[in-house]
Amino acid sequence: AKNRCNSLRSGFAHALKTALSQTPEGQQLLEGPKTPPKARVEVRHTAARVMLSEVFTVGRAAECDVQTTGDATTSRLQFLVISLPQGLCIADAWSGGGTRVVRRETGELPASVPQHWTTFVLPHGERVTLMTGAKTTVTLGPAVKDLKKVNGATNSVNGVAVEVPRVPTMRLVEEAKIAVPKAVPAPAAPSAGPNGSASGGAAGGANGTVATTVAVAAPSSPGSCAYLCSRAIASLRSNMRAQQQQALKERLKGRLLAAQRQKLIAKQQLMVFQERLEDPGGSDGASVEDLRDFLDGLGVAPAPDDPCTSNWTCSICKVSQKCKGFRCPFRHRACRDCFLKQVDSKCPIQSCGYILGAADMQDLRFPEERCKVFTPAKVQESSTPCRAGCGAAFTLAQGKRQAWSCSCGAAPVCTACGVTPYHYHGKCTEV
């Protein structure tokens, strides 16, 4: 799916360049180095990154290269950016609210809105802010501290720095709106009436007024640039929806196994639910959303890569996360990718010493080839294995004790003396 998505992006860029090369104005945008400059993107003037790809997508969906989460008024696929030798081409993906330029250094404020779809080009090196939805801004161009390096002394007069007044955002938004072009009525072709005089056609009134018809734009031809862009954007949307649906199914499969392990559903029910996942539109009317609600009602924990309401920072990779993450029995939290990267199947926190078991690998959805070669770890003298034999183990702590409840459902164990059940109201020497 990733390769197909990259192929669609490159195909969209190729179709755009092919259409531009057929006009003198478009050929000017293609003049320059073969490798166009890399674009720098900011979301809400906080998160910034340099895009390595020549074509990238911006939207609310997790599959987009630049994600604008937290704003429901932004479309899942808002717009595409194609870096050309002479500028950045902004192509709105038929979003719900459109894409509007609300702040730039000089020039007009172009916009692509539902009443007037258009594609516009922004020059490299200029800091431009676009509004997507009701409250999300996406800024393209250099950082504020680098503007003087790019533009020279644009904010100074006779060598003296001058503070540039900031225009309120709402005023900028109003200025960015483009008036909807009114349809020009076209007179109907005159036809001979009964008396030999010209009449207004079938819609002619009794007063002899001439009826008018509104001119409707002809649909784009299959070989036009608009047609190719429309097909490419539709393919991107379809591919993103397929990726989201497939990712949701994989997460639900892991949660079903956890529910069966916790004895919340029987094995026969597990098989039925797995069949429903393969065919969500079956004769019984079951759907993926219904199954997710069913597991939530049973109290099954969300998958490690299920989306969460608030962001948090992984303690290993130091990257802001938008998913739940995974916690070891000792409350150490990290993202799923960091757990999967562990070669020895241990907790990524070095001071933890917890060894993952079969149940943990099932919740993390380890690759099938890795689970096949999984064998319970050889427990050292200072470690205590799970009493159920699932392969999980922990290192005995010195002077500290707490209850270790294994993910497989075994009885809690004391981390200081290894005795089960855990003695809440007594010291280890008293047991």
Side-chain angles (χ1 to χ4, degrees), residues 45-62:
H45 301 288
T46 54
R49 59 184 294 193
V50 176
M51 305 303 299
L52 302 179
S53 177
E54 181 181 348
V55 185
F56 57 91
T57 56
V58 180
R60 180 163 47 92

Side-chain angles (χ1 to χ4, degrees), residues 292-353:
R292 180 174 55 185
D293 295 339
F294 172 73
L295 293 174
D296 291 340
L298 289 179
V300 181
D305 47 350
D306 268 338
C308 59
T309 56
S310 59
N311 295 359
W312 57 280
T313 302
C314 177
S315 57
I316 304 300
C317 60
K318 308 300 181 183
V319 176
S320 179
Q321 303 291 331
K322 299 180 178 63
C323 57
K324 295 288 185 180
F326 183 80
R327 290 182 185 270
C328 76
F330 302 105
R331 311 302 296 170
H332 296 142
R333 187 182 187 183
C335 64
R336 176 173 175 260
D337 292 339
C338 289
F339 274 94
L340 294 179
K341 291 177 182 177
Q342 291 298 111
V343 180
D344 51 2
S345 302
K346 291 184 178 180
C347 177
I349 306 298
Q350 298 295 333
S351 59
C352 179

Side-chain angles (χ1 to χ4, degrees), residues 256-275:
L256 282 173
L257 294 175
Q260 195 268 338
R261 188 178 65 244
Q262 299 169 15
K263 299 181 180 180
L264 297 175
I265 59 175
K267 188 174 181 179
Q268 293 79 4
Q269 291 176 306
L270 173 64
M271 297 175 62
V272 172
F273 288 138
Q274 288 176 341
E275 292 179 358

Side-chain angles (χ1 to χ4, degrees), residues 201-230:
N207 299 329
T209 58
V210 178
T212 59
T213 58
V214 178
V216 180
S220 302
S221 59
S224 64
C225 179
Y227 177 81
L228 295 177
C229 291
S230 176

